[in-house]
Structures are given as structure tokens and as C-alpha cells.
Amino acid sequence: MKGNVTKIASWRSALLATATLSTIAVAAPLVTYNHAQADSSATQDTIKTGTWGSASWTFDTNTGVMTIGSGTINGATDGNLYTFFNKQIGDPKAVKQVQISGNVQLVGDATGLFTDLFSMTSFTLLPGASLDTSQVTNMTNMFALDQSLVTIDLSTWDMSHVQSIAGMFTQPTTVTPALTSVIGLETRNLSAVKDAGLIFDSSSLYGQGTMLGNSWEWTSGNHPVLGLARSTNFHWGTANATLDPATGTLTVGAADDGSAGVLPTDATTVLSPADQAKVQKIVFTQPVKTGQNALGTLRGFSNLTSIEGMQNLDTSQTTDFTGFFSGDAQLQSIDLSHFNT
């Protein structure tokens, strides 16, 4: 009997031990689960959300990524990103990237809208997203002092109503600017722009381009397109002119008041070498004339092969044609029968 009691006691001990092990084995996942929940809550605390104008936004405090969803933002009434971020989240230096994820519309005055974001390295549109700027009238200092911004793509922006791009990408003088390229600026319709002063002041792009007519042209530097990338109207002297880079045609007409447009003394003072190299044909469609001195009026067109409408060119006031066609090495023939010398 004593032996049986001993066996039962041993069996009970083994059973209790097994039960204890089973309890521990079951309890372990619960501990792990609770730990995971705590991590998840901590992760959620790093994501801030809100609205800017009517556009929703999220900010990841771990990565510094600000994501802006669909909605409308009016800089004049909704404030710039720096101001609202500073008020609702904290130090704007925390913003490292801005990305558009929905259909965002900017309206009215966008002066300084994304200025002073010292740590922002990129401003991008995610696949399927859009940024409608067709109702923006002012982009002055829009990205000014964003000293870490490396590149930005404007190729989908509608800038046809923008009156000022002054200081749009101006950089602080106390640091080495990071900005190396602004993609698509040369293809935008800038016909409403009245002020493009210091657009790249203190940046590495300073002095690499200029406004010509209703377009921007890169005149130097490492850019995909040097010179005009789209048809644009401009004044060539007092004559109205249009350069179509696609066909290489420079069309020249009368002055604004309908009188004969006066051509510049030297073509190279109006058109950049990059633009002159695009010209393959010049067409005088309306009355134009040369001044007393025409020293290089049509010079420097290295790829020019023909000139049409010479009967519309009045040279009766010109006394000096020195260098008139200098450098036009590809010019095949020209009709001077209407020249009044």
C-alpha cells in the first residue's frame, strides 16, 4: 500500500509539473502579444495628422516625411507650411521630405508657401497624385531658404497665371546651397510673369538662365535643355518675334503698334548662343527695318540655312552692314534684290 501511495504521489507531482509547464507555455505568447501592442501604440504616437486648408496631412516624426493629401490650400488665408507646422507640431526643421499623395490645389498667393524648411531635401508627387497650380498668381519666395533642397520637378505645374517668381529659390548666403536642378522650368508658360528677379539668388543656379519673352531659358550649366525649350514670343529689337525650337523657325514681324519693327544692331545681344544655334530659318512676315548701323544684325546663326520674306526688310536707313551675316556658315542662298543700300 505504501508503494502505491508513493507512486500516486509521484504521478501527482509529475502532473502538476506538466500543468505548470503547460501554463507557462500558454502564458508566453500573451506576454509577447502585450509587448507588441505596446510597440504598436508607440508607433502610432509618431504619426501626427491634421488639415492644412482643406487638405489632409500626416507627419511621421521618425522619418520626417510630411504627406499632403487631397484638398485646397490658400497661402493667403491658410498660412505657409512653416507657420502651421510650428504651431501644431513643433520645430519645422523636423521636415525632411514633403510629398503630395492626393489631388492638391493651390490657389491665390503662394508667397513663401514652403519657405524656411531648412532640412527639406525633396518635394515630390507620388504616383497618381497631382498638384494644381493653375489658380496661383504669386510664387515669390515659394521655396526660399530651403537650403537642403536638391532638386524639384515643375514639369506638370501650370504657371500661366503667375505674375511673380522673384526669389522663388533664393538661398541663404551662410551655407553651401544644395540645389542643383529645377526640372521643367524651361517648358512652363510664364507669359504672365512680370518679376523673375533673383529667382536663384545665392544658389548654384544663379546666373545660369534668364527670362526671354514668356519662357525661361537656361543659358549655361548642366541642364537637359539649353536655350528655349518651347515656342515663345519676345521682342527682337522693337519687332515682335517667335522662336519655335521644334522647327528651328524664327518668325519676325512688326512692332507692337503695327509700324515696322526695328531689328537690333547685333543679334547676339538678344538671343543666347544656345537659342541662335536652334535657328534654321528666319521668316520676315511683316515690315521690319534695320537702323543706321547694322553691325551683325543677322550674325551668329551657325545653323541658319535660309531667310524668307526679305522683301519685308527695309534697309534704306542703314549705312554700315559690317558683319551683317557674320558666322552664318550654313546659309545656302539669300535674295538681296530688295536691299536698299
Side-chain angles (χ1 to χ4, degrees):
M1 182 69 177
K2 183 177 180 181
N4 290 336
V5 171
T6 301
K7 289 180 179 179
I8 291 172
S10 298
W11 176 80
R12 284 178 176 174
S13 297
L15 182 61
L16 288 172
T18 303
T20 302
L21 289 172
S22 298
T23 301
I24 293 173
V26 172
L30 290 176
V31 173
T32 303
Y33 174 77
N34 290 336
H35 180 68
Q37 285 291 94
D39 284 349
S40 177
S41 298
T43 300
Q44 290 177 357
D45 288 342
T46 68
I47 305 298
K48 307 297 182 181
T49 62
T51 57
W52 182 20
S54 65
S56 60
W57 58 263
T58 62
F59 180 71
D60 188 328
T61 58
N62 281 338
T63 63
V65 176
M66 167 71 74
T67 303
I68 303 174
S70 298
T72 301
I73 300 170
N74 186 329
T77 57
D78 301 324
N80 64 15
L81 181 56
Y82 180 96
T83 301
F84 102 77
F85 191 97
N86 190 48
K87 183 182 298 184
Q88 298 189 32
I89 302 176
D91 189 350
K93 290 181 181 178
V95 179
K96 297 179 180 178
Q97 298 178 44
V98 173
Q99 56 187 23
I100 307 298
S101 64
N103 299 317
V104 177
Q105 183 181 44
L106 305 182
V107 298
D109 192 341
T111 296
L113 198 62
F114 299 100
T115 190
D116 290 325
L117 301 177
F118 303 136
S119 303
M120 183 179 71
T121 60
S122 65
F123 183 98
T124 57
L125 271 66
L126 296 180
S130 65
L131 183 63
D132 181 358
T133 58
S134 62
Q135 296 185 47
V136 175
T137 57
N138 195 340
M139 291 186 178
T140 300
N141 295 333
M142 192 172 182
F143 294 94
L145 306 182
D146 295 344
Q147 62 191 38
S148 300
L149 184 63
V150 177
T151 184
I152 187 170
D153 188 348
L154 307 183
S155 59
T156 61
W157 289 34
D158 184 340
M159 300 173 68
S160 59
H161 293 98
V162 177
Q163 298 179 25
S164 174
I165 54 175
M168 189 173 178
F169 298 100
T170 191
Q171 297 290 295
T173 58
T174 55
V175 299
T176 301
L179 190 66
T180 58
S181 67
V182 175
I183 302 168
L185 179 60
E186 69 280 357
T187 64
R188 300 303 85 211
N189 178 0
L190 304 178
S191 57
V193 171
K194 299 177 181 178
D195 187 0
L198 302 179
I199 179 175
F200 294 115
D201 190 37
S202 299
S203 80
S204 59
L205 301 181
Y206 179 76
Q208 293 188 12
T210 186
M211 283 287 296
L212 181 62
N214 60 13
S215 293
W216 179 266
E217 68 163 326
W218 297 110
T219 56
S220 63
N222 184 24
H223 303 281
V225 178
L226 287 180
L228 292 169
R230 61 184 298 276
S231 296
T232 186
N233 300 319
F234 62 98
H235 285 104
W236 195 26
T238 65
N240 281 287
T242 300
L243 174 59
D244 185 348
T247 63
T249 302
L250 175 62
T251 304
V252 187
D256 290 340
D257 61 4
S259 63
V262 181
L263 302 182
T265 299
D266 187 344
T268 62
T269 62
V270 180
L271 291 171
S272 69
D275 285 327
Q276 282 198 287
K278 289 182 171 70
V279 177
Q280 300 177 40
K281 179 169 67 175
I282 295 176
V283 181
F284 296 111
T285 59
Q286 295 174 315
V288 293
K289 61 184 179 181
T290 51
Q292 182 176 358
N293 293 316
L295 307 176
T297 295
L298 295 179
R299 80 179 182 97
F301 294 97
S302 58
N303 294 310
L304 178 66
T305 59
S306 65
I307 301 176
E308 299 178 4
M310 288 293 288
Q311 70 276 10
N312 290 317
L313 178 59
D314 178 3
T315 60
S316 61
Q317 298 179 31
T318 303
T319 59
D320 192 343
F321 287 101
T322 302
F324 193 81
F325 297 106
S326 176
D328 300 345
Q330 303 299 318
L331 189 59
Q332 298 171 359
S333 64
I334 186 169
D335 180 5
L336 299 181
S337 61
H338 297 281
F339 257 42
N340 184 344
T341 58

